[in-house]
Amino acid sequence: MVKATASYVGNKSPTLSRGMSSSSATLEKVTPPANIQQLELLSGVYDRYDGVIVEMKDPMDPNEFGSLLRASLSQWKQQGKRGIWIKLPIELANLIEVVVKEGFDFHHAEPNYLMLVRWISETTNNLPANASHRVGIGAFVMNSNREVLVVQEISGKFKGTGVWKLPTGVVNEGEDICEAAIREVKEETGVDAEFVEVLAFRQSHSAFFTKSDLFFVCMLRPRSFDIQKQASEIEAAKWMPIDEYADQPFVKANSGFDYVAKVCLAKANNSYTGLSAMPTYSASGKMTFLYSKLEI
């Protein structure tokens, strides 16, 4: 966190003193000499794109905060800063109106905070947009009898339709696709399984509050077979012959479902190869999974 104080001497341009501080937005109060006008600024982290990130944590009077924000914006603009980010926890929701009145837009929100942003440069705004996609999985789990694990849901568009479908779910933040598939199968059916490969994926748009959707069809190998359905979400679960699953009228009538069923049938007949998960590491040492057909 950069703790900043702008000092003005006569008519000279402001200079900036920097020091390390906590992650909260704090002020450095320094008693200036008589001939120096001291201006307090909000503290923030300078990012690598000539931006500033201010993370508010401590309560502040809205009027005082507005004055500090305006002074800070003026200083940052003179310094050539471009994107200004302000993170407000839900406890400081009373400051939202102040920030918006200074030209900030909502960027994204999480359960416990709101992120606002403003582009103050005269150059073209190149701030990254909010996350554009939600990621989901469908789990194809088949036993040695060519039976596939299927469920009927209590709610949603399939409620009361009698359609048997693959276990599905949304990938959590920070969760890998392969791990999400294993978790969803366990949660919905009680069956333990191990990830084998990604069989296919599809992209759709305006799927969830205008966001696009990526859906990965994953094959898993069962390690247990007794079913204990999730009472809160699943009406019924069972092992169904794969041909019976693929021949359901709903599946046949909907090309997306029909194509997924054909992919699963091809895999069951050993005439299709999907993408295996290969652990890899980024330049920073972070482990990720690369999905490919290449076996090393």
Side-chain angles (χ1 to χ4, degrees), residues 82 119 121-127:
R82 303 192 298 170
W119 185 260
S121 173
E122 299 299 326
T123 60
T124 302
N125 185 340
N126 61 2
L127 290 171

Side-chain angles (χ1 to χ4, degrees), residues 140 142 146 219 242-243 261-272:
F140 172 56
M142 188 178 69
R146 289 177 59 89
M219 182 178 183
I242 189 171
D243 293 311
K262 284 181 169 62
V263 169
C264 293
L265 280 168
K267 182 63 182 180
N269 295 330
N270 297 316
S271 58
Y272 184 89

Side-chain angles (χ1 to χ4, degrees), residues 151-196:
V151 299
Q152 290 182 339
E153 296 177 337
I154 289 176
S155 59
K157 65 180 180 180
F158 294 107
K159 177 183 178 181
T161 62
V163 173
W164 292 96
K165 58 184 288 292
L166 302 178
T168 59
V170 175
V171 179
N172 292 330
E173 182 177 355
E175 184 178 41
D176 290 301
I177 293 168
C178 50
E179 295 172 344
I182 294 170
R183 174 184 55 77
E184 284 292 347
V185 169
K186 180 66 174 180
E187 288 179 356
E188 293 193 358
T189 69
V191 172
D192 293 312
E194 61 179 334
F195 178 84
V196 178

Side-chain angles (χ1 to χ4, degrees), residues 241-256:
I242 189 171
D243 293 311
E244 184 180 337
Y245 160 73
D247 287 337
Q248 292 181 96
F250 176 86
V251 173
K252 290 289 188 182
N254 292 271
S255 61

